[in-house]
Amino acid sequence: MSLSETRNRIDAACRKASRDPSSVSLIAVSKVQPNDRVQAVLEQGHTLYGENKVQEAQGKWPDFRTTFPDTQVHLIGPLQSNKVRPAMELFDAIHTVDRLKLAQRIADQAQSLGRCPELFVQVNTGEEPQKAGITPAETDSFLAELRQMDLKIAGLMCIPPVEETPSLHFALLGKLAARNGLTGLSMGMSSDFEEAIAFGATHIRVGSAIFGKRDYG
Ligand SMILES: *Cc1c(COP(=O)(O)O)cnc(C)c1O
């Protein structure tokens, strides 16, 4: 388990899929990991990280960024409407736009901030009740509403059901993105990023394969 091993696996998956490795962004998911592990990966020169909670990210990234100013941090977890402002101040991308109310808040804050993080729409491809995201059937109309708000969308994001074959979900997400003219695909985690690359992932979110198992204490 390490950054270099993960990179080697990404390179191999890209070769197999005839893709340029530079077309796949590796988001090192640092949530819950102790700071010394994150620091070690920062020192190896990795610049892109993912967090799933605004508050946790606020507690560690301002300091790390002082020492490693090129660092980018993406929000990959659910976002509450009342945390939109701090999230937009902190994160370079938000992967979890999943409601019109949230999208409208982001659009409003983008006006007042004069900039907007890169945005992905989360699709609940498995239509699991406990999971966030719009349904596949809602995707086209949801994206049309976001365009009306003048929000620029980079792509789609999904978290496949654990007990199902991820490739079916990756293929579905790719199809939904393509028919809406979107090129970004945020999909693939430690257990399935190679398949995600085969299905066109542009952003893979990998935690435990880089940092080791998360200890939730
Ligand atoms: C935690 C998390 C990941 C990383 O999971 P690993 O299995 O450790 O790679 C990826 N995506 C999301 C949305 C997460 O919350």
Side-chain angles (χ1 to χ4, degrees), residues 3 35-45 49:
L3 178 65
N35 282 350
D36 58 336
R37 289 193 195 168
V38 182
Q39 172 101 20
V41 175
L42 282 161
E43 282 169 359
Q44 290 169 64
Y49 295 81

Side-chain angles (χ1 to χ4, degrees), residues 125 158 160-161 164-174 187 192 194-196 198-199:
T125 55
C158 76
E164 286 182 29
T165 312
S167 53
L168 297 175
H169 296 271
F170 297 154
L172 172 59
L173 199 72
M187 58 192 198
D192 54 20
E194 282 131 324
E195 281 144 288
F199 282 88

Side-chain angles (χ1 to χ4, degrees), residues 18-19 22 49 82 105 141 157-158 173 180 185 213:
S18 304
R19 295 187 56 191
S22 70
Y49 295 81
N82 63 355
R105 283 260 171 128
S141 62
M157 176 272 211
C158 76
L173 199 72
N180 284 283
L185 286 173
K213 241 181 102 166

Side-chain angles (χ1 to χ4, degrees), residues 54-55 58 78-89 99 101-102 105-106 109:
V54 177
Q55 204 172 345
Q58 280 175 318
L79 177 57
Q80 292 166 340
S81 302
N82 63 355
K83 296 221 173 110
V84 165
R85 179 79 183 203
M88 287 176 71
E89 284 167 347
R99 328 182 283 293
K101 184 182 166 205
L102 177 63
R105 283 260 171 128
I106 292 172
Q109 294 294 337

Side-chain angles (χ1 to χ4, degrees), residues 29 31 52 76 157 159 189-190 205-208 214:
V29 179
K31 66 180 183 196
N52 74 338
I76 60 167
M157 176 272 211
I159 309 169
M189 317 197 341
S190 291
R205 310 177 308 265
V206 181
S208 39
R214 283 180 291 279

Side-chain angles (χ1 to χ4, degrees), residues 39 42 58 60-71 73:
Q39 172 101 20
L42 282 161
Q58 280 175 318
K60 67 177 112 160
W61 285 104
D63 278 354
F64 276 144
R65 273 176 159 164
T66 320
T67 323
F68 303 95
D70 293 339
T71 305
V73 188

Side-chain angles (χ1 to χ4, degrees), residues 147-166:
R147 272 193 292 275
Q148 299 249 304
M149 295 177 195
D150 268 343
L151 278 180
K152 206 169 150 252
I153 303 301
L156 303 179
M157 176 272 211
C158 76
I159 309 169
V162 279
E163 68 285 359
E164 286 182 29
T165 312

